[in-house]
Amino acid sequence: MARDLRGFIQLLEARGQLRRITAEVDPDLEVAEISNRMLQAGGPGLLFENVKGSPFPVAMNLMGTVERICWAMNMDHPLELEDLGKKLALLQQPKPPKKISQAIDFGKVLFDVLKAKPGRNFFPPCQEVVIGNDDLDLNQIPLIRPYPGDAGKIITLGLVITKDCETGTPNVGVYRLQLQSKTTMTVHWLSVRGGARHLRKAMERGQKLEVAIALGVDPLIIMAAATPIPVDLSEWLFAGLYGGSGVALAKCKTVDLEVPADSEFVLEGTITPGEMLPDGPFGDHMGYYGGVEDSPLVRFHCLTHRKNPVYLTTFSGRPPKEEAMMAIALNRIYTPILRQQVSEITDFFLPMEALSYKAAIISIDKAYPGQAKRAALAFWSALPQFTYTKFVIVVDKSINIRDPRQVVWAISSKVDPVRDVFILPETPFDTLDFASEKIGLGGRMGIDATTKIPPETDHEWGEVLESDQAMAEQVSQRWAEYGLGDINLTEVNPNLFGYDV
């Protein structure tokens, strides 16, 4: 499998999922406009080989479909992601095995953890070229500006690596950075993120915080860094579990941090606690421009890169975007972990159109009255990433939660708004959600769209319409005989039913 960006680009090209663009393009607005149109159409990845103002090519939309996300994870189908989730669920809450088969399964997972331990590369490709402070100019990297109202050029898919000054434990996060000068950038992270915690600890000790930014890494490592699963494992170990073998790391030239050895670019610098500059506004995943916030300033003093490096980037905005495709894949990985946390949940889905976390549809194997409400409340508290989910719709396990037509039917046919809708007012909320009356404080809605049982209702529910089973089997057997064998009944164009997709 591909274990660096170049290998993944070669894989996409071999499978007909990459287009090379040789015409000159401007990283200011033009690159994002081209990529956005390709994202909307579910098109191939793009490699811009002639970027104005920079000698380096730009790769975008490499993870623009769920299929390509699966390829990055060395898989062919999204369902395989759930097998990975089962491994992580075992590591999160290991239970004493009751059967020999369970003991074997747990032993296999522990063996996978041993294989996932990161290795060391003493002659890393990412340090083939070293540029010191005097010659450093971040403008040589083809940083993009996606939207006309954006404050400047940005880094979006860089691994931001810091270390806890007390424990030495590293944190790897994917945070946005804004170019401020030829040697400085501001980093935008939430106060609860690992990098922000490390900065606070450095401040308490009166120390600078060392920072490394790895650009152009294996997309699998980006997926690992973007996985906010509460397991006490490092992101490097996650990446090793995802890929089946350990990530090769290299020690930075000027800071005491490690980065993926096959990174295309590595930026090395420090943050002086309290040194801040305004960051923003920028287009964000909600589909609006965010605000301006004072953010930590990173002063870079070293840049290393591979020979002929490729710059990988993306941008946020209203779905579909690459971040939404990543969220769909993570959705599959979360599923077994969520089932372990909330046993009655059989499946769950975070629709991309709901910004991949604002609305959740969960199905349950309903056994008692009030169970749907209990499941919704349990969902909100199951994992930290569900804290900002605004709507939870609970349906029966017979509903295909990934088919919006079935979900809308369940809501329309099974919900009495007076009985089945409940609202939790003024809960902690996403500061980027402008729909809230008070920024940082918002309501949540649960909708019980399951079939009601006494005492939820005092009357019998209607009998579900179903085909005669014997006749259905007969028709299936004679389908080709009818002359209809060329009609594919599994792939339905939603536009035939009044949608505009």
Side-chain angles (χ1 to χ4, degrees), residues 466-479 482:
E466 293 181 343
S467 299
D468 179 82
Q469 186 173 356
M471 180 54 66
E473 292 176 357
Q474 176 181 312
V475 169
S476 296
Q477 293 172 358
R478 299 190 60 196
W479 192 249
Y482 301 146

Side-chain angles (χ1 to χ4, degrees), residues 202-355:
M203 181 183 295
E204 291 171 359
R205 291 192 169 199
Q207 300 175 353
K208 292 182 179 181
L209 179 69
E210 294 184 328
V211 180
I213 315 293
L215 303 170
V217 300
D218 179 1
L220 182 145
I221 301 177
I222 296 174
M223 289 294 296
T227 306
I229 299 175
V231 182
D232 191 19
L233 297 173
S234 76
E235 288 83 1
W236 302 135
L237 205 54
F238 264 130
L241 283 171
Y242 282 11
S245 60
V247 177
L249 299 177
K251 190 172 179 61
C252 288
K253 286 287 187 180
T254 63
V255 293
D256 186 22
L257 295 169
E258 293 180 318
V259 296
D262 291 317
S263 304
E264 296 291 323
F265 298 87
V266 175
L267 289 165
E268 302 177 12
T270 59
I271 298 175
T272 300
E275 194 170 14
M276 316 275 277
L277 279 181
D279 183 284
F282 287 102
D284 65 44
H285 63 281
M286 297 289 292
Y288 305 98
Y289 288 104
V292 179
E293 297 182 45
D294 285 341
S295 299
L297 183 70
V298 189
R299 294 188 178 275
F300 295 106
H301 48 257
C302 182
L303 166 65
T304 69
H305 63 76
R306 300 180 67 161
K307 293 178 181 177
N308 304 312
V310 178
Y311 177 60
L312 176 67
T313 189
T314 190
F315 58 100
S316 293
R318 181 175 172 178
K321 295 291 181 290
E322 289 183 79
E323 60 192 2
M325 299 303 116
M326 295 169 65
I328 291 173
L330 291 173
N331 185 164
R332 290 284 191 180
I333 296 173
Y334 297 151
T335 300
I337 300 169
L338 183 60
R339 289 195 192 111
Q340 182 171 274
Q341 298 274 359
V342 189
S343 59
E344 58 253 74
I345 293 180
T346 57
D347 200 1
F348 91 109
F349 180 50
L350 301 169
M352 175 185 70
E353 292 76 12
L355 307 173

Side-chain angles (χ1 to χ4, degrees), residues 131-432:
I131 300 173
N133 191 50
D134 293 341
D135 299 317
L136 178 59
D137 185 355
L138 298 177
N139 291 293
Q140 289 298 300
I141 303 174
L143 306 179
I144 67 168
R145 188 171 72 103
Y147 299 105
D150 286 348
K153 297 178 179 179
I154 54 172
I155 288 175
T156 52
L157 280 183
L159 300 183
V160 180
I161 302 158
T162 58
K163 183 185 291 186
D164 189 307
C165 60
E166 292 180 357
T167 66
T169 303
N171 179 78
V172 185
V174 182
Y175 312 123
R176 188 192 72 219
L177 295 104
Q178 175 186 339
L179 183 68
Q180 297 286 352
S181 74
K182 72 175 189 176
T183 58
T184 63
M185 303 188 81
T186 45
V187 59
H188 184 266
W189 51 32
L190 298 175
S191 60
V192 298
R193 299 303 185 192
R197 291 197 302 271
H198 290 175
L199 181 58
R200 287 195 294 271
K201 284 192 173 184
M203 181 183 295
E204 291 171 359
R205 291 192 169 199
Q207 300 175 353
K208 292 182 179 181
L209 179 69
E210 294 184 328
V211 180
I213 315 293
L215 303 170
V217 300
D218 179 1
L220 182 145
I221 301 177
I222 296 174
M223 289 294 296
T227 306
I229 299 175
V231 182
D232 191 19
L233 297 173
S234 76
E235 288 83 1
W236 302 135
L237 205 54
F238 264 130
L241 283 171
Y242 282 11
S245 60
V247 177
L249 299 177
K251 190 172 179 61
C252 288
K253 286 287 187 180
T254 63
V255 293
D256 186 22
L257 295 169
E258 293 180 318
V259 296
D262 291 317
S263 304
E264 296 291 323
F265 298 87
V266 175
L267 289 165
E268 302 177 12
T270 59
I271 298 175
T272 300
E275 194 170 14
M276 316 275 277
L277 279 181
D279 183 284
F282 287 102
D284 65 44
H285 63 281
M286 297 289 292
Y288 305 98
Y289 288 104
V292 179
E293 297 182 45
D294 285 341
S295 299
L297 183 70
V298 189
R299 294 188 178 275
F300 295 106
H301 48 257
C302 182
L303 166 65
T304 69
H305 63 76
R306 300 180 67 161
K307 293 178 181 177
N308 304 312
V310 178
Y311 177 60
L312 176 67
T313 189
T314 190
F315 58 100
S316 293
R318 181 175 172 178
K321 295 291 181 290
E322 289 183 79
E323 60 192 2
M325 299 303 116
M326 295 169 65
I328 291 173
L330 291 173
N331 185 164
R332 290 284 191 180
I333 296 173
Y334 297 151
T335 300
I337 300 169
L338 183 60
R339 289 195 192 111
Q340 182 171 274
Q341 298 274 359
V342 189
S343 59
E344 58 253 74
I345 293 180
T346 57
D347 200 1
F348 91 109
F349 180 50
L350 301 169
M352 175 185 70
E353 292 76 12
L355 307 173
S356 303
Y357 72 101
K358 287 295 183 182
I361 305 164
I362 63 178
S363 59
I364 65 171
D365 186 5
K366 188 169 181 176
Y368 56 85
Q371 188 176 9
K373 187 172 184 178
R374 180 196 179 281
L377 294 171
F379 174 87
W380 275 313
S381 59
L383 294 173
Q385 56 267 33
F386 303 147
T387 302
Y388 295 153
T389 300
K390 190 162 22 175
F391 305 100
V392 174
I393 302 167
V394 187
V395 298
D396 295 312
K397 67 176 183 178
S398 59
I399 298 295
N400 179 359
I401 60 176
R402 290 170 179 81
D403 184 343
R405 296 171 300 170
Q406 292 195 34
V407 174
V408 171
W409 175 82
I411 294 173
S412 303
S413 66
K414 299 177 183 290
V415 172
D416 177 345
V418 174
R419 175 193 61 202
D420 300 326
V421 175
F422 61 95
I423 294 175
L424 305 179
E426 296 191 330
T427 59
F429 221 61
D430 186 355
T431 57
L432 291 174

